[in-house]
Amino acid sequence: MKHPRATLAAVGLSVAAIAGVTIAATAGGSTPSATAVTTVPTANPASTPTPATANTTMGTVDTTTVHTAPATVGGATETILVDGRGFPLYVYQPDTATKSMVTGELAFLWPPLVATTAPTEAGANGALKVVSTSNGHQVTYNGHFLYSFRQDNPGQVTGQGVQNFFVATPGITDLKSAPATPAPAPVSSGY
């Protein structure tokens, strides 16, 4: 049978951790012999979207492995790029081949795919590279920075077209060699 004081301490630590409180726990009775400090960041629940799954938990899965998977996009089944956890990957239309425009709150909703080791690919033939940005060592595919979406689940695409993000596909054109969008023709005034 567990000691009632130890059980209450464990429950108190769990509740405090959920509330985002810094806790100092001591081993033993009233004499502190070893101290462990746990800090849990707090977030404003009103401004923090609730992810559909634990998209923030990295675990031991190599999330920088980019591979292909079928998914329904706009009512049609397509082959898309996904990370090592199976989450759909997106590109952001305003990005350039050398600069990610996704920062701050936008990067919170659309986490950049970052690498601590060389990224790998399976089933895709594009060029994977790592570019240093304010988000860290960010992974690109054919010159496009890659992102996931906090509201997605593995195999579920919910961010297509949202805030200028579009699903990354294996055949996406190299951003460096993509033809420039021509400027609109001037409108004749009739004079």
Side-chain angles (χ1 to χ4, degrees), residues 1-13:
M1 182 164 144
K2 290 186 177 182
H3 192 277
R5 195 182 283 180
T7 303
L8 286 174
V11 170
L13 286 173

Side-chain angles (χ1 to χ4, degrees), residues 6-188:
T7 303
L8 286 174
V11 170
L13 286 173
S14 298
V15 170
I18 291 170
V21 176
T22 301
I23 305 159
T26 60
S30 60
T31 310
S33 58
T35 303
V37 177
T38 305
T39 303
V40 180
T42 60
N44 180 355
S47 67
T48 305
T50 305
T53 65
N55 193 357
T56 58
T57 305
M58 298 301 261
T60 58
V61 177
D62 178 11
T63 58
T64 59
T65 298
V66 175
H67 57 96
T68 59
T72 303
V73 181
T77 301
E78 287 188 43
T79 299
I80 64 167
L81 297 178
V82 297
D83 68 10
R85 298 170 296 157
F87 283 88
L89 293 171
Y90 295 85
V91 297
Y92 186 53
Q93 198 168 34
D95 283 349
T96 69
T98 57
K99 184 167 175 70
S100 169
M101 302 298 196
V102 179
T103 60
E105 289 182 27
L106 193 59
F108 176 79
L109 291 172
W110 299 88
L113 183 63
V114 293
T116 55
T117 60
T120 59
E121 62 182 305
N125 297 328
L128 281 180
K129 293 184 181 172
V130 176
V131 177
S132 290
T133 68
S134 60
N135 297 318
H137 299 299
Q138 204 166 334
V139 178
T140 65
Y141 181 84
N142 285 346
H144 297 270
F145 290 97
L146 298 174
Y147 308 90
S148 59
F149 183 43
R150 287 199 181 268
Q151 300 301 317
D152 281 351
N153 288 311
Q156 177 192 30
V157 174
T158 62
Q160 175 71 353
V162 176
Q163 295 178 315
N164 284 320
F165 284 89
F166 297 92
V167 174
T169 59
I172 194 167
T173 306
D174 189 332
L175 189 58
K176 294 176 189 169
S177 64
T181 304
V187 177
S188 172

